[in-house]
């Protein structure tokens, strides 16, 4: 399986899930992407959800839970977000009325969800690394493009924290709508398929002056044609929501910096500078 994300104005980037362990190849689960939008494992998942086997459940499901790498809440004492067990996932889906969920696919669904959530968080951390230190430091970074060497690979002194989630699979973002329209007009360049899911993630940004700001990130989830090996392919498009002029400036700065770097021969300049 694999998953990727994209900068501000570029099409979503590709990602496929990794093998489930270090040696065995990943076997693609027979899961339609719409199934993945039914329940977000980090969202709307009460801690008290049952770990008991459901009535008429055909197989046993694991009850162990995995810890994510995503810091939870506003203070470090809250730890990290915890993923549900496959049994909790199955029970929660039944409780929401999804009685057609195949029990033998739930473990794979949890794996895919966890992997996509980790990929989305990595992209958010990259946005925060660039913009969490202010616009001056961000432009120094962004003007070197997406492929240029990072000006400063450190994340802000206090890393971002995920405050809460919101699943909005039925609300298409403006960017997704535009990309879908472009797919109809230019099918050779753009995919006309809409995202199968959308999440809004609310992140706490630690500013250089010691204050905090809540930033809403929008994530569109796309599915793509499988790899020749049968591995499913997903695309993530992660960016700050345009809730303020500063959020719009961040998106334009990252996109514009990459365009400038490519159009102005940034790689050649960088190589010339190293040689001199």
């Amino acid at each position: 399986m694999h998953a990727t994300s994209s900068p501000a104005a570029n099409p979503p980037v590709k990602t496929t899930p990794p093998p489930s362990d270090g040696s065995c190849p990943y076997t693609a689960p027979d899961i339609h992407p719409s199934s993945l939008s039914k329940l977000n494992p980090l969202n709307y998942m009460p801690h008290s959800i049952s770990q008991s086997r459901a009535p008429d459940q055909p197989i046993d499901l694991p009850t162990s839970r995995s810890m994510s790498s995503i810091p939870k809440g506003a203070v470090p004492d809250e730890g990290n977000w915890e993923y549900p067990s496959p049994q909790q996932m199955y029970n929660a889906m039944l409780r929401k009325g999804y009685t057609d969920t195949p029990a033998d696919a739930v473990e794979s669904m949890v794996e895919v969800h966890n992997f996509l959530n980790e990929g989305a968080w990595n992209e958010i951390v990259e946005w925060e690394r660039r913009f969490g230190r202010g616009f001056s430091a961000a432009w120094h970074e962004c003007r070197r493009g997406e492929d240029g060497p990072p000006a400063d690979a450190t994340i802000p002194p206090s890393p971002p924290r995920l405050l809460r989630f919101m699943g909005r699979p039925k609300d298409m973002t403006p960017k997704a709508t535009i990309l879908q329209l472009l797919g109809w007009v230019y099918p050779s360049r753009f995919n006309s398929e809409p995202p199968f899911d959308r999440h809004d993630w609310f992140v706490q940004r630690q500013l250089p002056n010691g204050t905090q700001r809540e930033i809403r990130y929008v994530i569109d989830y796309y599915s793509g044609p499988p790899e020749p090996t049968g591995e499913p392919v997903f695309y993530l498009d992660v960016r700050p929501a345009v809730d303020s002029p500063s959020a719009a400036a961040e998106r334009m700065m990252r996109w514009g910096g990459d365009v400038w770097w490519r159009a102005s021969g940034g790689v050649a300049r960088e190589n010339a500078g190293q040689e001199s």
Side-chain angles (χ1 to χ4, degrees):
M1 172 171 67
H2 90 216
T4 52
S5 351
S6 70
N10 296 341
V13 188
K14 170 181 171 183
T15 177
T16 61
S20 56
D21 60 42
S23 58
C24 298
Y26 180 84
T27 301
D30 185 18
I31 302 173
H32 193 275
S34 62
S35 299
L36 298 176
S37 67
K38 292 178 180 178
L39 190 68
N40 177 0
L42 292 183
N43 205 19
Y44 313 125
M45 181 64 69
H47 284 288
S48 59
I49 195 75
S50 174
Q51 291 271 32
S52 300
R53 181 170 175 151
D56 302 321
Q57 181 177 319
I59 61 172
D60 289 330
L61 290 171
T63 58
S64 58
R65 303 181 66 177
S66 301
M67 189 68 67
S68 79
S69 66
I70 306 172
K72 179 182 180 180
V75 295
D77 290 347
E78 295 189 55
N80 287 12
W81 288 87
E82 189 176 13
Y83 294 118
S85 70
Q87 184 65 63
Q88 286 179 311
M89 179 79 153
Y90 185 67
N91 289 341
M93 296 190 79
L94 293 179
R95 198 158 92 177
K96 286 177 174 286
Y98 301 117
T99 56
D100 59 343
T101 303
D104 58 357
V106 172
E107 285 190 72
S108 294
M109 290 176 65
V110 171
E111 268 189 40
V112 171
H113 261 303
N114 296 358
F115 178 72
L116 293 179
N117 281 329
E118 293 293 328
W121 182 248
N122 289 339
E123 288 299 315
I124 288 173
V125 168
E126 176 62 17
W127 277 96
E128 291 298 302
R129 184 184 69 80
R130 291 170 182 262
F131 293 99
R133 296 164 294 159
F135 279 112
S136 177
W139 174 244
H140 185 59
E141 179 82 24
C142 291
R143 68 185 180 85
R144 304 160 79 90
E146 292 297 309
D147 298 327
D152 182 358
T154 62
I155 59 176
S158 181
R161 305 188 65 84
L162 181 59
L163 300 175
R164 63 189 185 279
F165 281 73
M166 181 182 295
R168 302 175 62 184
K170 296 182 180 179
D171 299 330
M172 191 177 295
T173 63
K175 182 178 177 182
T177 302
I178 292 171
L179 289 176
Q180 188 176 24
L181 292 173
L182 288 173
W184 292 335
V185 178
Y186 304 106
S188 63
R189 294 195 59 189
F190 297 93
N191 183 6
S192 62
E193 288 296 318
F196 65 81
D197 201 2
R198 169 198 171 170
H199 295 167
D200 289 11
W201 292 22
F202 297 83
V203 173
Q204 178 179 276
R205 174 180 293 177
Q206 180 75 35
L207 300 174
N209 63 6
T211 61
Q212 292 84 32
R213 180 186 300 165
E214 184 176 292
I215 308 295
R216 179 170 69 98
Y217 280 87
V218 178
I219 308 167
D220 285 322
Y221 296 80
Y222 296 85
S223 59
E227 295 283 10
T229 58
E231 291 177 318
V233 174
F234 300 98
Y235 298 82
L236 305 183
D237 192 359
V238 183
R239 69 275 187 197
V242 185
D243 292 335
S244 65
S246 61
E250 289 178 9
R251 288 173 63 161
M252 287 301 298
M253 187 180 294
R254 189 166 181 186
W255 173 75
D258 189 53
V259 171
W260 163 255
W261 177 261
R262 294 172 185 274
S264 62
V267 174
R269 290 200 313 275
E270 196 75 27
N271 292 339
Q274 292 175 356
E275 291 173 0
S276 62

